[in-house]
């Protein structure tokens, strides 16, 4: 019988983490949130300090019963939801829903799903961060306060099914303001004169931009003015006024985030986002490799972080040294 229970958000992580932790650990998934505001009610008591009302999400009753059963058998429960405010809130809701002794519940987080990271997180278990939980609750409450008041107005005036929220509403205003700026912009024509030159005795040419004529910067607002200056320059002696030097450094592309992975797969392979994420899921869960069995090739498929784990960096350095010297 497993002595410890680890609860993660995604079922895709269960098999991998179970493999890292061994037989003493039971790993289960919450499939995201287990409690939320009721859909048919406002769910916030505005008169009493904006107290939220939570109910079990429809369809999660059976899953919660399974988690409660596993929690009762465990000596310790590790809540391993994602390391952000949403994950912290899911852990808090799990604590409320499981109805177990808070002393046997511990919060753990890891930024990559590697054996080292997962095992290290168990050793660094901590209490719940209520500041993060409150931040998530404030976000959800603001969504309700704005959305439940504004969405019905959109349904009446524009189209049924539209939703408004604390982010969408402000974003739409910013887009409209920018569009008005674009429409109000009056374009102005301008010209520039560039030439190719070669120094005495040199075959190689270099490009230069006309800066001043007889000590004055010429105004080139149209083709006629540009042609007039070109006539004046026929047979003229040119002097280099300023040399601009710059060093260009090309860095390797940054690691993929979820959005850049989808963009690149669409651009290079014409993949739809769904196909990209399905492929990434398979790479995460593992593919069969000769002599290695089923091996996961990426740490996780959803991330906004560009951070590479120390373990992965060290392995890459080691591989490059051995393979290429």
């Amino acid at each position: 019988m497993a002595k410890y229970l680890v609860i993660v958000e995604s079922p895709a992580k269960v098999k991998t983490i179970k493999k890292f932790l061994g037989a003493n650990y039971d790993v289960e998934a919450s499939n995201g949130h287990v409690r939320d505001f009721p859909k048919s009610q406002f769910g916030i008591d505005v008169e009493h300090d904006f107290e939220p009302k939570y109910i079990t999400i429809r369809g999660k009753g059976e899953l919660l019963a399974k988690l409660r059963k596993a929690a009762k058998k465990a000596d310790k429960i590790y809540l391993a939801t994602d390391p952000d405010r949403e994950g912290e809130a899911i852990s808090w809701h799990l604590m409320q829903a499981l109805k177990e002794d808070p002393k046997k519940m511990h919060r753990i987080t890891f930024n990559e799903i590697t054996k080292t990271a997962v095992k290290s997180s168990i050793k660094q278990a901590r209490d719940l961060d209520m500041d993060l939980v409150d931040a998530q609750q404030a976000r959800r409450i603001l969504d309700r306060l704005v959305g439940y008041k504004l969405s019905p107005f959109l349904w009446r005036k524009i189209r049924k099914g539209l939703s408004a929220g604390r982010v969408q509403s402000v974003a739409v205003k910013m887009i409209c303001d920018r569009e008005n700026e674009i429409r109000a912009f009056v374009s102005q024509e301008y010209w520039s004169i560039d030439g190719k030159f070669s120094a005495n005795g040199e075959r190689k040419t270099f490009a230069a931009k006309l800066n001043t004529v007889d000590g004055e910067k010429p105004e080139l607002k149209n083709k006629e003015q540009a042609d007039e200056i070109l006539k004046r320059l026929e047979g003229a002696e040119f002097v280099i006024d300023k040399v601009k030097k710059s060093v260009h450094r090309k860095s390797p592309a940054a690691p993929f985030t979820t959005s850049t992975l989808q963009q690149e797969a669409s651009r290079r392979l014409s993949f739809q986002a769904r196909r990209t994420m399905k492929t990434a899921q398979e790479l995460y869960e593992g593919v069969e490799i000769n002599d290695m069995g089923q091996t996961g090739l990426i740490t996780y498929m959803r991330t906004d972080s560009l951070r590479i784990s120390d373990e992965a960096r060290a392995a890459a350095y080691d591989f490059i040294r051995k393979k290429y010297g």
Side-chain angles (χ1 to χ4, degrees), residues 8 23 29 36 38 69 137 169 188 264 309:
V8 296
D36 199 4
K69 190 175 178 183
Q137 286 196 99
S169 308
Q188 289 184 320
E264 201 68 0
S309 72

Side-chain angles (χ1 to χ4, degrees), residues 79-84 87-88 91 106-109 125-128:
L79 302 168
T81 49
D82 291 352
D84 53 20
E88 206 74 18
S91 285
H106 307 275
R107 175 78 169 111
I108 61 171
T109 57
R126 59 171 173 82
D127 293 330
L128 213 61

Side-chain angles (χ1 to χ4, degrees), residues 75-127:
D75 297 331
K76 284 185 181 179
I77 301 165
Y78 294 102
L79 302 168
T81 49
D82 291 352
D84 53 20
R85 65 181 179 187
E86 208 70 32
E88 206 74 18
I90 292 172
S91 285
W92 179 74
H93 284 296
L94 283 166
M95 286 182 82
Q96 308 302 311
L98 293 177
K99 298 171 183 174
E100 287 290 322
D101 183 356
K103 289 179 183 176
K104 70 186 264 190
M105 294 194 181
H106 307 275
R107 175 78 169 111
I108 61 171
T109 57
F110 35 82
N111 291 301
E112 72 259 352
I113 303 174
T114 60
K115 190 172 186 175
T116 305
V118 172
K119 287 202 161 188
S120 176
S121 72
I122 298 283
K123 292 174 186 173
Q124 296 169 17
R126 59 171 173 82
D127 293 330

Side-chain angles (χ1 to χ4, degrees), residues 201-216:
E202 295 281 338
R203 292 184 64 187
K204 193 175 180 181
T205 63
F206 60 90
K209 187 173 184 176
L210 180 67
N211 190 34
T212 58
V213 178
D214 297 332
E216 293 182 2

Side-chain angles (χ1 to χ4, degrees), residues 25-45:
Y25 288 83
D26 184 13
V27 185
E28 299 286 351
S30 71
N31 289 306
H33 280 276
V34 292
R35 300 197 313 168
D36 199 4
F37 296 136
K39 286 190 175 181
S40 55
Q41 301 169 29
F42 190 45
I44 301 162
D45 191 345

Side-chain angles (χ1 to χ4, degrees), residues 102-169:
K103 289 179 183 176
K104 70 186 264 190
M105 294 194 181
H106 307 275
R107 175 78 169 111
I108 61 171
T109 57
F110 35 82
N111 291 301
E112 72 259 352
I113 303 174
T114 60
K115 190 172 186 175
T116 305
V118 172
K119 287 202 161 188
S120 176
S121 72
I122 298 283
K123 292 174 186 173
Q124 296 169 17
R126 59 171 173 82
D127 293 330
L128 213 61
D129 186 341
M130 285 309 297
D131 286 342
L132 283 176
V133 175
D134 290 341
Q136 192 273 345
Q137 286 196 99
R139 182 188 73 79
R140 288 291 291 121
I141 288 168
L142 281 170
D143 272 338
R144 276 281 162 123
L145 291 174
V146 176
Y148 263 57
K149 304 284 185 188
L150 209 50
S151 294
F153 174 76
L154 294 179
W155 300 343
R156 288 196 306 273
K157 297 294 182 182
I158 303 176
R159 178 165 56 82
K160 195 83 172 162
L162 293 174
S163 70
R166 82 203 190 301
V167 174
Q168 299 103 311
S169 308

